Every structure is written in C-alpha cells, then in structure tokens.
C-alpha cells in the first residue's frame, strides 16, 4: 500500500534534514550519479626502473547503491603518471572491462625518487552515462593513486632475541 512517514520536529528546528532520512539529494550542485574508484598496486614501495602493476575498480552510484558504470560492456578511460617532480612519465588510454576493472602495467624511469602519482580520467564515461550534466561539476571524474619510489635495500641482516617468559 501507501507509504507513510512521520518525523519529529525539535524546538527551533527550521527545516527537514534529508540526509538524516536517507534521501539522496545533490549537495551544492553535485551530480546525482557519482563514480567511486578503488586503485591498488602490487607493492607498497618501488625502486627506480621497477615495473608497477595497478588495478582499478570503478563503480557508479545513483543514491546509495553501487553498480557497474555501464550495463552494456566496457568503457574507456585514460591514465597519466607523474614523477616526484611533477613531470609526466606516462600517458595512455585504458580500456575498462564490463565489470568496471582495469589492469595497468608500466615501467618507472631510472633516477627520480620520491612520491609518484597515477591519475585516471573518466571524463568520457561521465559524458556517456550522464550526458545532461556539466562534467566540470564531477570531482569524481578523476581518481588518484600515490606511491613512493625510493632507492632502498632489503635488510642485509636480521636480529633475533629471546626474552624471559617471566619477570
């Protein structure tokens, strides 16, 4: 049947808080459809010249339920990688699967250490799934992953010690 709702108003309350009622609404012009991207790598730190393996998983949501960004197959994106000095070391197109995932492999240059970042760009996907939106309002059209590159050596020795079981 009919849905009915009741809300309690507190003294001095000036309006309804839709957020507390689990009602989706745009906030300051944010689009209703939003992308969520999870990016992870095979390691926590890399050396100059190493090969990096990234995995990205993209979901869209309208309201609170995550779903695949497209119902009818994969979609394009792009990847830009910058070194610790902000120089672009890679720019490439990436094709995401029908499950919203992509695997990317690339080799780091020799020499530059520090914090690197990989940026995925989903502008074309947003234009396709939400053609009436202003893509500039979609802060979610980009997803970043930061990873350190350092000259490091594995431990050359390991110290082992035993403690008394009682003190």
């Amino acid at each position: 049947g009919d849905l009915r709702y009741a809300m309690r108003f507190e003294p001095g309350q000036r309006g309804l808080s839709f957020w507390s009622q689990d009602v989706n609404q745009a906030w300051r012009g944010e689009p209703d459809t939003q992308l969520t991207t999870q990016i992870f790598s095979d390691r926590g730190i890399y050396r100059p010249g190493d090969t990096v393996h990234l995995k990205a998983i993209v979901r869209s949501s309208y309201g609170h339920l995550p779903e695949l960004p497209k119902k009818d197959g994969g979609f394009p994106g792009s990847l830009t990688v910058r070194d610790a000095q902000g120089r672009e070391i890679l720019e490439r197109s990436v094709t995401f699967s029908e499950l919203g995932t992509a695997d990317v492999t690339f080799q780091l240059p020799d020499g530059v250490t520090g914090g690197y970042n990989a940026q995925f760009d989903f502008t074309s996907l947003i234009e396709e799934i939400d053609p009436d939106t202003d893509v500039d309002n979609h802060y979610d059209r980009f997803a970043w992953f930061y990873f350190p590159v350092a000259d490091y050596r594995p431990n050359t020795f390991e110290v082992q010690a035993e403690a008394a079981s009682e003190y």
Side-chain angles (χ1 to χ4, degrees):
D2 295 332
L3 295 176
R4 297 177 188 200
Y5 297 94
M7 289 184 62
R8 180 178 151 179
F9 283 91
E10 298 293 331
Q13 186 175 348
R14 296 181 189 202
L16 298 175
S17 170
F18 290 109
W19 293 102
S20 65
Q21 303 306 314
D22 202 28
V23 175
N24 184 42
Q25 68 181 29
W27 177 256
R28 295 187 189 161
E30 289 179 7
D32 290 331
T33 302
Q34 296 184 5
L35 298 179
T36 302
T37 306
Q38 298 294 322
I39 306 168
F40 53 93
S41 68
D42 61 324
R43 301 199 335 236
I45 189 169
Y46 295 90
R47 292 183 180 132
D50 278 355
T51 300
V52 177
H53 302 278
L54 296 180
K55 175 86 169 186
I57 303 171
V58 180
R59 295 293 180 262
S60 66
S61 63
Y62 183 84
H64 298 288
L65 300 175
E67 55 190 37
L68 295 175
K70 287 185 59 182
K71 306 286 189 227
D72 58 352
F75 56 91
S78 66
L79 171 67
T80 303
V81 179
R82 295 187 184 280
D83 69 14
Q85 297 173 350
R87 293 181 300 214
E88 186 177 294
I89 63 166
L90 173 75
E91 184 173 15
R92 102 169 39 148
S93 295
V94 178
T95 301
F96 283 75
S97 74
E98 64 276 358
L99 297 176
T101 64
D103 296 302
V104 179
T105 300
F106 59 92
Q107 186 158 355
L108 295 170
D110 289 326
V112 179
T113 59
Y116 281 55
N117 76 72
Q119 174 187 301
F120 286 89
D121 183 338
F122 302 108
T123 300
S124 60
L125 172 63
I126 289 171
E127 290 171 341
E128 185 177 339
I129 63 175
D130 198 359
D132 297 328
T133 191
D134 179 3
V135 75
D136 290 335
N137 286 338
H138 271 274
Y139 62 88
D140 55 335
R141 73 181 184 268
F142 300 112
W144 292 271
F145 182 76
Y146 298 94
F147 57 96
V149 176
D151 285 320
Y152 68 92
R153 286 189 331 194
N155 294 335
T156 54
F157 65 92
E158 185 175 319
V159 176
Q160 294 182 355
E162 292 185 29
S165 60
E166 293 184 27
Y167 291 97

